[in-house]
Amino acid sequence: KAEANMIVVSQIARAGVVLILLLMYGCARPPAQQLEAAQKAVDDAKTAGAEAYAKDDWMKLEQEFAMAKDELVKQETVLPIFRLYDDVGEMLSTVVEYGRHVAVKASQNKEAAKTAALAMEQEALRAVVSAKRLMARALNGKERDAGEAIKRQVTALEAGFIVIHGLIENGDYLSAEMQARALKEKGDAVSGEIRSAIEKATGRTPKAHA
């Protein structure tokens, strides 16, 4: 009888331990603060321009955050007493750390893109100014039709430069650099056409001006 009582007591003790453990885990709460910190890290990376200036890292960050949120939703479907948020917490911590890295990288890349865009904008401007100067002394009355065509091209160059400057003002440095490069090439081509027209009209090759 004493042995039987000891067995019962032992079983009750084990059941008590199990119950305490279940209650401890059952009292687990979603990592709200970590979720908020992760969301802020993602938002900060986006604000830094990660979507454009650290595209691959941004996509990875979004994936990491999505997996963490999926795991959180998964735990919410489990009975409260069996919910475990340890993995969710670790995943969210990873998002916070990686998000900071992505934000820094995006900021650095954006600054480099700005420098490149401003430099190319100046090259495009020189190409437009050169075309305008050539046009001003280009054609006589005999080349009136050609002169009108050249004027339209130079006007288009000026309009394109205004667009590029607007892109830079709005912080779209990648598009600005690309369009400035194209405008410079177009400006050089227009200048070439004007020189050919002048040479045809005067028999002399005009000197290039910076």
Side-chain angles (χ1 to χ4, degrees), residues 60-97:
K60 182 179 178 181
L61 177 63
E62 283 194 310
Q63 291 171 355
E64 293 286 345
F65 192 33
M67 288 190 293
K69 289 188 291 186
D70 287 345
E71 180 61 26
L72 180 59
V73 171
K74 179 181 176 181
Q75 291 302 321
E76 294 297 319
T77 63
V78 178
L79 289 173
I81 198 170
F82 295 116
R83 290 175 186 172
L84 298 173
Y85 293 105
D86 291 348
D87 289 344
V88 178
E90 291 179 7
M91 295 170 75
L92 290 174
S93 295
T94 298
V95 171
V96 171
E97 183 177 351

Side-chain angles (χ1 to χ4, degrees), residues 20 22 48 76 78 81 114 117 129 135 140-141 157 193:
I20 291 173
L22 288 176
E76 294 297 319
V78 178
I81 198 170
K114 179 180 179 180
V129 170
M135 184 187 69
N140 57 31
L157 291 175
E193 292 179 23

Side-chain angles (χ1 to χ4, degrees), residues 1 5 20-22 30 36 39 41-42 48 52 57 70 81 86 93 102 115 137 156 161 172 174 187 210:
K1 184 176 180 180
N5 289 336
I20 291 173
L21 291 174
L22 288 176
E36 183 178 349
Q39 183 65 64
V42 173
D57 296 276
D70 287 345
I81 198 170
D86 291 348
S93 295
V102 175
T115 300
R137 57 191 180 84
F161 182 80
D172 190 354
L174 296 177

Side-chain angles (χ1 to χ4, degrees), residues 8-135:
V8 171
V9 171
S10 177
Q11 290 175 338
I12 293 175
R14 285 200 298 271
V17 170
V18 172
L19 179 60
I20 291 173
L21 291 174
L22 288 176
L23 289 174
M24 287 175 62
Y25 284 115
C27 291
R29 295 287 182 269
Q33 291 184 340
Q34 287 174 290
L35 179 62
E36 183 178 349
Q39 183 65 64
K40 184 178 184 304
V42 173
D43 291 343
D44 288 347
K46 184 175 183 179
T47 300
E51 288 177 293
Y53 298 99
K55 188 177 296 184
D56 292 341
D57 296 276
W58 168 253
M59 292 175 61
K60 182 179 178 181
L61 177 63
E62 283 194 310
Q63 291 171 355
E64 293 286 345
F65 192 33
M67 288 190 293
K69 289 188 291 186
D70 287 345
E71 180 61 26
L72 180 59
V73 171
K74 179 181 176 181
Q75 291 302 321
E76 294 297 319
T77 63
V78 178
L79 289 173
I81 198 170
F82 295 116
R83 290 175 186 172
L84 298 173
Y85 293 105
D86 291 348
D87 289 344
V88 178
E90 291 179 7
M91 295 170 75
L92 290 174
S93 295
T94 298
V95 171
V96 171
E97 183 177 351
Y98 189 56
R100 291 169 181 165
H101 163 75
V102 175
V104 171
K105 184 174 181 178
S107 296
Q108 293 173 341
N109 290 348
K110 186 174 183 179
E111 190 61 30
K114 179 180 179 180
T115 300
L118 290 172
M120 187 54 64
E121 180 191 31
Q122 290 303 306
E123 291 193 35
L125 177 60
R126 283 193 288 270
V128 173
V129 170
S130 178
K132 284 176 64 69
R133 287 175 176 172
L134 283 168
M135 184 187 69

